[in-house]
Amino acid sequence: MKEIYKLKFSFTLLSHLLKSIFYKYHSDKRKIIKEIMPQPEVVIDIGAHAGQVSKMISHTYNNAVKIIAIEPGVYARFILRMSIFFNRLKHVHVLPFAISNKAGFSFLNVPEKRKNSLGFGLSHMSNGHEDFTNRNFKIHYDYVAVTTIDQIVDDLKLKTVNFIKIDIEGFEYKALLGAQNTLKKYKPIIYIELQKHSLARNSDSLDDLYNYLRKIGYKSYYIRNDKLVKYEDNIEEDEVFFIHNK
């Protein structure tokens, strides 16, 4: 039987918690996001992790935006909720799900890089986790519920979606497939991490993802010198903005 992860105190947990509360990650993106999205109503943060993007967006718009922060991992979600509380973030709603193209249940692989130090930002649902075992990481398992973006949008009766951030270690393409109705209806800006090796865990590719989004009217942009620059190649990038050609 796989051993299900149980949250326990460690000094690494305390360190992660303090960073989530006091560090200002992604603050360099505030100007760009403000320019392309002047007055958003609803943001979906997929793979919310410790809440860095949710916090940045909430502060950028003075706590006026409804943020759906989706995080399946027990460890990450605990830190996320504490960050929301101590940063006094309003209108941030935490959902305990993994996101894919179909609903169900799965195991979230969470690596322990050294004793009591979880690399929770590297967690993923893929069946293969050789990237962890090859580095002699111990693997913990969260048993998580899986749903789709379209299902969440329908269930929450959202009237619009302005922005979707996705960073889920290789399940980005699957998540987008499960958001077809949302993308076509609301045409949200997509902020995403694209890594070839991560997508390959699920037999997906950069070409799959780029072709899918471009087919429904999205253009790709990366950041250069604090500005968005349009590009046409199907390349790896840590930070890509897809903006619909409305």
Side-chain angles (χ1 to χ4, degrees), residues 166-230:
I166 312 177
D167 183 359
I168 47 177
E169 300 299 315
F171 261 76
E172 288 82 4
Y173 180 55
K174 294 286 193 297
L176 290 167
L177 289 177
Q180 291 186 46
N181 296 336
T182 301
L183 299 183
K184 291 177 180 178
K185 184 175 182 180
Y186 299 122
K187 302 174 177 60
I189 295 167
I190 300 167
Y191 175 44
I192 192 169
E193 179 185 54
L194 295 180
Q195 296 294 333
K196 181 179 180 180
H197 73 277
S198 296
L199 290 167
R201 293 188 189 119
N202 302 297
S203 300
D204 296 330
S205 69
L206 292 169
D207 289 342
D208 291 333
L209 191 149
Y210 277 106
N211 293 341
Y212 170 70
L213 288 177
R214 287 174 177 156
K215 186 176 179 180
I216 59 175
Y218 277 91
K219 306 296 183 184
S220 52
Y221 299 81
Y222 49 45
I223 300 172
R224 296 292 185 271
N225 299 319
D226 297 323
K227 294 183 179 179
L228 289 184
V229 179
K230 183 180 175 182

Side-chain angles (χ1 to χ4, degrees), residues 39-182:
Q39 293 181 310
E41 296 178 45
V42 178
V43 167
I44 300 179
D45 184 356
I46 306 173
H49 192 250
Q52 297 95 330
V53 170
S54 289
K55 181 170 70 172
M56 178 270 289
I57 290 177
S58 189
H59 286 167
T60 298
Y61 297 99
N62 299 314
N63 275 322
V65 184
K66 178 182 289 185
I67 300 174
I68 312 301
I70 304 171
E71 175 52 55
V74 170
Y75 185 93
R77 200 165 60 250
F78 171 78
I79 295 171
L80 171 63
R81 289 187 183 278
M82 292 297 100
S83 178
I84 291 169
F85 175 79
F86 284 108
N87 282 290
R88 299 181 180 180
L89 304 183
K90 300 178 181 178
H91 312 302
V92 179
H93 308 272
V94 179
L95 301 185
F97 295 106
I99 300 297
S100 188
N101 60 326
K102 56 184 179 180
F105 294 89
S106 185
F107 286 101
L108 183 71
N109 308 304
V110 186
E112 183 177 335
K113 296 190 290 186
R114 55 186 181 276
K115 186 173 177 59
N116 294 324
S117 178
L118 295 187
F120 66 112
L122 302 175
S123 303
H124 60 74
M125 289 196 300
S126 308
N127 290 328
H129 41 67
E130 292 80 9
D131 52 331
F132 296 160
T133 54
N134 289 344
R135 288 181 280 179
N136 296 317
F137 293 168
K138 181 179 179 181
I139 310 298
H140 297 276
Y141 301 97
D142 271 344
Y143 192 48
V144 298
V146 184
T147 189
T148 69
I149 290 303
D150 284 343
Q151 188 66 59
I152 288 173
V153 170
D154 287 345
D155 288 347
L156 297 183
K157 296 180 170 56
L158 299 179
K159 301 301 182 185
T160 188
V161 179
N162 306 104
F163 186 92
I164 299 177
K165 166 254 174 176
I166 312 177
D167 183 359
I168 47 177
E169 300 299 315
F171 261 76
E172 288 82 4
Y173 180 55
K174 294 286 193 297
L176 290 167
L177 289 177
Q180 291 186 46
N181 296 336
T182 301

Side-chain angles (χ1 to χ4, degrees), residues 225-237:
N225 299 319
D226 297 323
K227 294 183 179 179
L228 289 184
V229 179
K230 183 180 175 182
Y231 68 96
E232 303 290 343
D233 299 327
N234 296 356
I235 58 174
E236 284 189 312
E237 280 287 331

